[in-house]
């Protein structure tokens, strides 16, 4: 528990609670006709009903508007799903008067609107230190017999990534199935893809006139195929994106089984469908859930997020849940999916770049980032400097030349003009450093370069009577430095609805990740003609999350009895803080200064170390309930999560979490006033007996850090020891973020169990 200064953190929590109450009140008072998720007290079901489903249908029938009550089929059409494992309740299409009547029904707890969600759109396994010779893939650990549930856009079962060659038999505990539908039947499943289901009742209820062209688990988008193959794709030889990133593609856990739950459709995604998918995944028996989607930042209120409620139920059943932090970075407080029972994933780069080369007539070469997929002649062509390329008619006269344009106002307009004029090739010069990354997928041969290289090109043209140049594409460079770096789009913490638990948790590869794709979904365009591929390069926390799901599968194979919290702890406490130059991981959006834990959590995921972490911070479902109680959740709100009543006699903000965050935000204090924040933690020895660990603190300038005791001694495996961490600092920090770490280092130097520490003055 916190000692002095608790008021600042509690102040934030009270504000959150007030916001939650206001939002809930407004939702209740302003609700209109629509689709709703109804939370029920399952223990209140009258004995006359044989199932919760029949009870809910009877309840719906009793509250129908008089104009609809005559039709017996109306009840069934209004009912969408019954939920029994993720939440307790159902979803239905209701008028405002029906909703009001439902609130008076016996067993009713609360409702939430059926809100829309969005997805957070080969080499990465090697970058993470995974190989068949050394590292986490050393036999017998390839993720065998672990089942990863993916909630996404569906799957393309014919992909080589989902071949069952080398796979073990389907685990006998598996209760799922492959559902038939448009261009999909049960025969498409095998020992790799062991389950495939689809859900769209919520989508159709919110869009009654909608027609779904691919009403089946088949993926016509590509996103779900991509994330599935990242997590657990089998070995796929000859993978590449039009010659870029060529090699053998494989997932993090190539021998794990995959179950796809399709909820994302071309016309939208709704929480009622996602809830149904998670509900079924729990029933089916998945070991891991990977979620690369979420509500908007504005809608991501913990108690009002049915996905947070559903995943709490999953964790209670022993299912490890990982979810994307979102793509709304780089500002603070943009992280979503931050429930403390989930592992929340940020996205970073890897040590690989894709380039094109412009070779001038004098032999000088200029390398630029590019993913241009087309074939292009190596013959030299005339170079013409136009300055601003504003006239389409002028550009049309130069179609057989390489035009050179310089950015003065808008490079996008000049690019559009060049495309309209159908010039053969172009060079665009700008002082915007990330320009090349923005336009890597140009639809015609083009180089996007900075002012320095641009001046080299301009000088060459001006100094030669017959300036010429040629392009070459499909260049892949491995081992680029520095890597990883956290990308600008990756959402940052803290998590607004639960700020006292540090989020995000971990950084994983998310930028330009090569993985399998739906071959009927275009990946790019050349001269307005769509191109298709069996593989695609995508960026986002969507791509980072399945990396973590796959690594969790490796840990689950090695330690099948570990709890979700223990797996999470192993991933967090073994993360890498340094990049491949042995410097702190950098933040692309902050001039490449070192990233803080609010950007990257504990650091970059380290699969090999995570298999043998030494110590773990475990937590049980009851610990999360104590946290919700301490956050001033009402008994009704807690019942939504726990499906039982809690008197909250035991409450604590101090969850046994493998990281620390403290707010020093008392703006009324004087500069010399000090405050102490206290945290208590318990670690479990998952190594051998006879181990001793010593505390080591790094960083935290301006904050006094104290650890009691300084040494932990474990006589046997699975023994627990506790300690207290204290942070002493000014009531109001002058710096936004101060960060460091606490590491427990064993006497033999084998283990370094590291937890990030953040002291911050930022407020929402």
């Amino acid at each position: 528990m916190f000692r002095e200064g608790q008021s600042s953190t509690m102040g934030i929590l009270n504000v959150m609670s007030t916001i939650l109450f206001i939002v809930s009140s407004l939702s209740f008072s302003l609700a209109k006709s629509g689709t709703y998720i109804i939370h029920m007290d399952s223990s209140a079901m009258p004995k006359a009903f044989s199932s919760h489903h029949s009870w809910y249908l009877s309840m719906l029938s009793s509250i129908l508007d008089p104009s609809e009550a005559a039709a017996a089929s109306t009840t069934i059409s209004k009912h969408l799903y019954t939920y029994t494992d993720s939440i307790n309740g159902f979803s239905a299409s209701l008028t405002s008067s029906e909703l009001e009547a439902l609130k008076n029904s016996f067993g009713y707890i609360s409702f939430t609107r059926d809100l829309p969600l969005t997805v957070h759109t080969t080499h990465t396994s090697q970058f993470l230190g995974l190989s068949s010779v050394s590292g986490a893939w050393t036999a017998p650990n390839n993720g065998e017999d672990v089942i990863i549930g993916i909630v996404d856009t569906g799957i393309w079962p014919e992909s080589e990534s989902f071949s069952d060659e080398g796979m073990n038999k389907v685990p006998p505990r598996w209760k799922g199935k492959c559902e038939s539908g448009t261009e999909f039947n049960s025969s498409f499943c095998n020992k790799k893809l062991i389950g495939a289901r689809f859900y769209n009742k919520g989508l159709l209820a919110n869009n009654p006139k909608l027609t779904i062209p691919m009403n089946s688990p088949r993926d016509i988008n590509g996103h779900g195929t991509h994330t599935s193959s990242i997590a657990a794709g089998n070995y796929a030889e000859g993978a590449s994106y039009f010659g870029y990133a060529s090699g053998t593609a494989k997932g993090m856990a190539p021998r794990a089984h995959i179950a796809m739950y399709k909820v994302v459709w071309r016309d939208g995604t709704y929480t009622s469908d996602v809830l149904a998918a998670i509900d079924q995944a729990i029933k089916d028996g998945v070991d891991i859930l990977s979620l690369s989607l979420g509500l908007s930042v504005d809608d991501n209120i913990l108690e009002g997020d049915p996905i947070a409620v559903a995943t709490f139920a999953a964790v209670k059943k022993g299912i490890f849940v990982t979810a994307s932090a979102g793509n709304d970075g780089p500002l603070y407080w943009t992280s979503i999916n931050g429930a403390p029972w989930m592992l929340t994933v940020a996205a970073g780069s890897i040590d690989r770049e894709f380039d094109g080369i412009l070779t001038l007539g004098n032999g000088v070469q200029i390398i630029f980032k590019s993913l241009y997929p087309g074939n292009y002649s190596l013959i030299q062509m005339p170079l013409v400097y136009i300055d601003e390329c504003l006239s389409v008619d002028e550009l049309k006269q130069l179609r057989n030349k390489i035009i050179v344009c310089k950015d003065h106002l808008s490079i996008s307009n000049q690019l559009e003009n060049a495309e309209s004029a159908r010039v053969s090739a172009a060079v665009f010069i700008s002082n915007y450093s990330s320009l090349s990354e923005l336009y890597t997928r140009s639809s015609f041969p083009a180089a996007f370069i900075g002012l320095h290289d641009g001046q080299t090109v301009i000088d060459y043209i001006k100094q030669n009577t017959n300036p010429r140049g040629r392009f070459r594409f499909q260049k892949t460079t491995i081992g680029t430095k520095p890597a990883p770096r956290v990308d600008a789009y990756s959402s940052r913490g803290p998590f607004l609805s639960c700020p006292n638990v540090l989020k995000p948790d971990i950084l994983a590869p998310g930028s330009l990740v090569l993985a399998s794709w739906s071959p009927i979904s275009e990946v790019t365009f050349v001269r307005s003609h769509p191109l298709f591929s069996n593989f695609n390069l995508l960026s986002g926390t969507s791509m980072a999350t399945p990396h973590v799901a796959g690594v969790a599968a490796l840990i689950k194979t090695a330690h099948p009895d570990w709890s979700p919290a223990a797996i999470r702890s192993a991933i967090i406490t073994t993360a890498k803080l340094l990049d491949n130059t042995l410097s702190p991981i950098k933040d692309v959006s902050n001039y490449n200064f070192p990233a803080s834990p609010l950007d990257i959590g504990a650091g970059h995921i380290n699969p090999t170390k995570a298999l043998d972490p030494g110590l773990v911070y475990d937590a049980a479902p009851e610990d999360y309930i104590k946290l919700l109680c301490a956050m001033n959740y009402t008994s009704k709100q807690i019942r939504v999560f726990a499906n039982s009543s809690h008197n909250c006699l035991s409450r604590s903000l101090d969850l046994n979490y493998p990281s620390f965050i403290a707010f020093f935000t008392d703006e009324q204090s004087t500069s010399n006033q000090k405050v102490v924040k206290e945290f208590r933690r318990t670690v479990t020895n998952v190594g051998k007996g006879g181990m001793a660990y010593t505390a080591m603190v790094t960083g935290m300038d301006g904050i006094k850090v104290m650890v009691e005791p300084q040494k932990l001694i474990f006589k046997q495996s699975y023994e627990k020891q506790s300690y207290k961490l204290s942070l002493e600092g000014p009531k109001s920090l002058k710096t936004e973020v101060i960060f460091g770490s606490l590491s427990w280092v064993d006497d033999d130097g084998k283990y370094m169990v590291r937890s990030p520490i953040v002291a911050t003055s930022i407020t929402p």
Side-chain angles (χ1 to χ4, degrees), residues 327-635:
N327 295 349
D328 294 306
L331 297 180
Y332 294 132
W333 302 102
T334 53
S335 181
I336 65 167
N337 291 328
W341 42 88
M342 296 184 192
L343 187 81
T344 310
V345 188
S349 63
I350 63 174
D351 64 337
R352 179 179 62 190
E353 288 185 355
F354 308 113
D355 302 313
I357 301 174
L358 170 63
T359 303
L360 304 179
N362 60 4
V364 172
Q365 291 190 332
I366 295 172
I367 298 175
F368 55 92
K369 293 181 181 179
S370 176
L371 285 171
Y372 178 69
N375 295 320
Y376 193 70
S377 172
L378 295 177
I379 299 174
Q380 285 192 340
M381 299 178 64
L383 275 166
V384 180
Y385 177 48
I386 308 298
D387 196 18
E388 288 188 281
C389 297
L390 301 179
S391 171
V392 175
D393 290 337
E394 180 184 3
L395 296 178
K396 286 180 178 179
Q397 306 302 314
L398 303 169
R399 280 180 175 171
N400 297 323
K401 304 180 188 299
I402 300 174
I403 63 167
V404 179
C405 311
K406 190 171 183 180
D407 174 23
H408 292 283
L409 292 175
S410 173
I411 204 72
S412 59
N413 290 340
Q414 297 185 54
L415 175 61
E416 183 179 333
N417 292 340
E419 288 177 324
S420 299
R422 299 186 66 82
V423 299
S424 295
V427 176
F428 296 96
I429 302 169
S430 173
N431 64 353
Y432 185 40
S433 59
S434 299
L435 184 67
S436 185
E437 296 179 16
L438 292 174
Y439 295 107
T440 52
R441 298 184 197 247
S442 60
S443 66
F444 69 100
F448 298 86
I449 61 178
L451 295 180
H452 181 268
D453 286 336
Q455 195 59 49
T456 299
V457 175
I458 294 171
D459 290 344
Y460 165 72
I461 293 173
K462 290 181 176 180
Q463 294 167 9
N464 288 270
T465 57
N466 184 27
R468 304 180 74 83
R470 68 174 184 268
F471 278 120
R472 181 163 68 88
F473 295 95
Q474 284 99 36
K475 174 179 169 57
T476 301
T477 303
I478 303 294
T480 58
K481 297 179 179 182
R485 295 186 294 171
V486 61
D487 264 309
Y489 61 79
S490 186
S491 291
R492 270 54 171 187
F495 177 51
L496 187 61
S497 289
C498 190
N500 52 302
V501 175
L502 178 61
K503 293 289 178 172
D505 292 300
I506 200 76
L507 181 72
S511 296
L512 292 178
V513 176
L514 180 74
S516 292
W517 191 251
S518 171
I520 61 172
S521 178
E522 67 270 6
V523 295
T524 191
F525 291 82
V526 170
R527 301 292 187 187
S528 75
H529 298 294
L531 295 184
F532 302 87
S533 173
N534 292 324
F535 298 89
N536 198 3
L537 288 160
L538 289 187
S539 298
T541 52
S542 275
M543 285 61 253
T545 301
H547 281 93
V548 176
V551 172
L554 302 180
I555 301 173
K556 186 75 174 177
T557 296
H559 307 285
D561 297 329
W562 280 13
S563 69
I567 295 174
R568 175 183 65 209
S569 174
I571 291 172
I572 290 175
T573 61
T574 58
K576 293 180 180 178
L577 264 184
L578 305 181
D579 60 25
N580 58 3
T581 69
L582 301 182
S583 299
I585 294 171
K586 297 172 178 61
D587 180 359
V588 170
S589 69
N590 191 26
Y591 306 101
N592 283 315
F593 281 107
S596 84
L598 294 176
D599 308 314
I600 63 172
H604 198 259
I605 192 167
N606 186 351
T608 306
K609 292 286 187 182
L611 289 174
D612 185 18
L615 305 174
V616 296
Y617 294 76
D618 211 348
E622 295 77 18
D623 297 315
Y624 302 118
I625 296 298
K626 292 178 183 177
L627 175 67
L628 296 178
C629 287
M631 292 171 63
N632 297 324
Y633 274 48
T634 66
S635 58

Side-chain angles (χ1 to χ4, degrees), residues 50 158 335 459 477 544 654 720:
S50 60
E158 295 88 353
S335 181
D459 290 344
T477 303
D654 207 7
K720 297 179 184 293

Side-chain angles (χ1 to χ4, degrees), residues 38-46 55-56 59 88-90 102-110 636 639 643:
I38 309 299
H39 299 273
M40 299 292 295
D41 180 358
S42 60
S43 65
M45 184 182 75
W55 178 34
Y56 300 150
M59 190 179 302
N88 289 282
F90 61 96
L102 189 64
K103 294 177 188 177
N104 297 319
S105 299
F106 183 66
Y108 168 86
I109 297 178
S110 64
K636 179 182 286 189
R639 182 179 284 273
N643 192 35

